[in-house]
Amino acid sequence: MTQSKKIGILLSGRGSNFEAIANAIKAGRLDAEIAVVISNRADAPGLETARKRDLNAKLIPSKGRTREEHDAEVIAALKEAQVDLVCLAGYMRLLSPEFVCAFPHRILNIHPSLLPAFPGLDAQKQAVEYGVKVSGCTVHFVDEHLDHGPIVLQKTVPVLEGDDEHSLSARILEQEHIAYSEAIQLVLSGAVEMQGRKAVRKKNVAGGK
């Protein structure tokens, strides 16, 4: 029996996407093991959730430290846990180029819009104010630019009449919880390969189409 691939989770808040990933693993929908959960904030509810699940939870504070200094410690913790993939789950920090280079095409993020539309903060509010009819979420590889790396998977959500940022956010979040585990499975199973800046699904590979 092959050993499950190891993932590391980085979070700064409640970590609802982390919980969705953990639930997908428990339900057998995702063949992976959470090797470590790291937060840069002591008050992150997701850190306590990880401890309650008996996971390896680490606090690596970022306050008062340079990005390079903090990232070096996080990289070391991820390497010590021997992770195959790093997943950002509400991690409110831009990764340094050194961090990205340490895990090339092995860092995933999820963003609540159909990138490249509405990168950055308040994506749902941007979508409502712009008047788009369709929004959604994007799982993408992380590069050194904000919300920019190659797209692995997207799910669409209609923008309804009368939607505000909160109602739209809630419906997008439901799809995030599905999309992230699907994307992780695709990447860990080897069903995705890089072609230029595109992440392309291989045919005839488990998890690919």
Side-chain angles (χ1 to χ4, degrees):
M1 186 176 175
T2 58
Q3 191 174 7
S4 295
K5 297 277 183 82
K6 295 180 177 181
I7 60 179
I9 306 276
L10 303 187
L11 54 82
S12 298
R14 65 192 175 109
S16 73
N17 271 306
F18 147 59
E19 287 193 76
I21 292 166
N23 290 339
I25 292 170
K26 189 175 181 181
R29 296 191 306 273
L30 173 57
D31 181 16
E33 171 194 344
I34 297 175
V36 65
V37 178
I38 299 172
S39 179
N40 64 311
R41 295 176 58 101
D43 60 351
L47 206 55
E48 184 58 31
T49 301
R51 293 187 183 115
K52 286 178 179 174
R53 287 176 177 262
D54 294 322
L55 294 170
N56 177 19
K58 290 182 180 287
L59 169 65
I60 303 180
S62 56
K63 193 172 182 181
R65 308 176 70 195
T66 66
R67 188 166 57 141
E68 289 72 19
E69 199 176 40
H70 178 255
D71 279 7
E73 191 173 345
V74 176
I75 291 167
L78 290 166
K79 289 193 170 179
E80 183 185 358
Q82 299 181 317
V83 303
D84 298 288
L85 188 67
V86 180
C87 298
L88 310 187
Y91 190 60
M92 304 307 290
R93 290 177 62 78
L94 188 63
L95 302 182
S96 64
E98 291 77 16
F99 197 126
V100 175
C101 287
F103 301 96
H105 295 132
R106 289 166 55 208
I107 308 172
L108 287 180
N109 184 45
I110 190 159
H111 183 73
S113 80
L114 296 175
L115 291 174
F118 313 124
L121 295 174
D122 301 321
Q124 304 94 323
K125 184 180 181 197
Q126 292 182 60
V128 170
E129 289 180 349
Y130 199 88
V132 297
K133 303 305 180 188
V134 178
S135 187
C137 59
T138 303
V139 184
H140 64 96
F141 286 112
V142 174
D143 61 16
E144 57 271 27
H145 305 292
L146 179 67
D147 299 329
H148 176 268
I151 292 168
V152 178
L153 191 94
Q154 291 181 310
K155 287 197 180 290
T156 59
V157 173
V159 181
L160 305 177
E161 292 294 333
D163 258 340
D164 61 16
E165 62 184 289
H166 304 293
S167 59
L168 180 59
S169 295
R171 291 206 317 285
I172 290 176
L173 190 61
E174 290 177 4
Q175 293 304 310
E176 287 183 44
H177 291 167
I178 299 166
Y180 216 164
S181 294
E182 286 184 7
I184 292 168
Q185 185 67 46
L186 283 170
V187 173
L188 290 182
S189 67
V192 173
E193 66 180 355
M194 298 308 301
Q195 294 180 8
R197 74 150 273 120
K198 291 183 181 178
V200 179
R201 292 194 201 187
K202 296 179 186 176
K203 293 180 180 177
N204 305 320
V205 176
K209 297 290 184 187

